Amino acid sequence: INKGQLDLAITASGMENLIINETPTGTMNGTNKIFNLANTPITGKDVIVSLNGQIVFLTADFTRVTNVITFVVAPESTDTIKVTYVKS
């Protein structure tokens, strides 16, 4: 993500729309790849996804349509997913 893009989105929408380190819903079992956010982010570029504390990348590691994140490789039951974004 481009820091300037996120800064612009935060300024435009206000801090109340910034969601930090949300844990998406979905079954962590090594086979499920689909996880849901509580809100819909403004754009795909405004989403920071981390898996076990490491940032993963749009297209290479996951895709997003509205509020649904689909991983390329299913997270294991012991993994941790956190998502930061600006909600629409």
Side-chain angles (χ1 to χ4, degrees):
I1 186 167
N2 178 308
K3 182 183 177 312
Q5 288 175 321
L6 185 59
D7 287 345
L8 179 61
I10 292 169
T11 301
S13 63
M15 291 300 289
E16 69 276 2
N17 290 335
L18 178 62
I19 308 300
I20 300 172
N21 287 334
E22 177 182 320
T23 300
T25 59
T27 304
M28 303 280 287
N29 60 8
T31 57
N32 180 47
K33 298 179 181 182
I34 300 170
F35 295 85
N36 296 289
L37 299 172
N39 304 282
T40 300
I42 291 175
T43 69
K45 294 183 182 192
D46 292 324
V47 176
I48 300 170
V49 178
S50 67
L51 182 63
N52 300 321
Q54 299 294 315
I55 293 176
V56 294
F57 299 96
L58 184 64
T59 308
D61 301 308
F62 72 95
T63 59
R64 184 189 64 81
V65 176
T66 62
N67 69 323
V68 178
I69 292 174
T70 303
F71 284 92
V72 172
V73 176
E76 296 295 328
S77 61
T78 55
D79 289 339
T80 301
I81 302 168
K82 296 292 182 185
V83 185
T84 297
Y85 60 98
V86 178
K87 69 181 181 176
S88 57

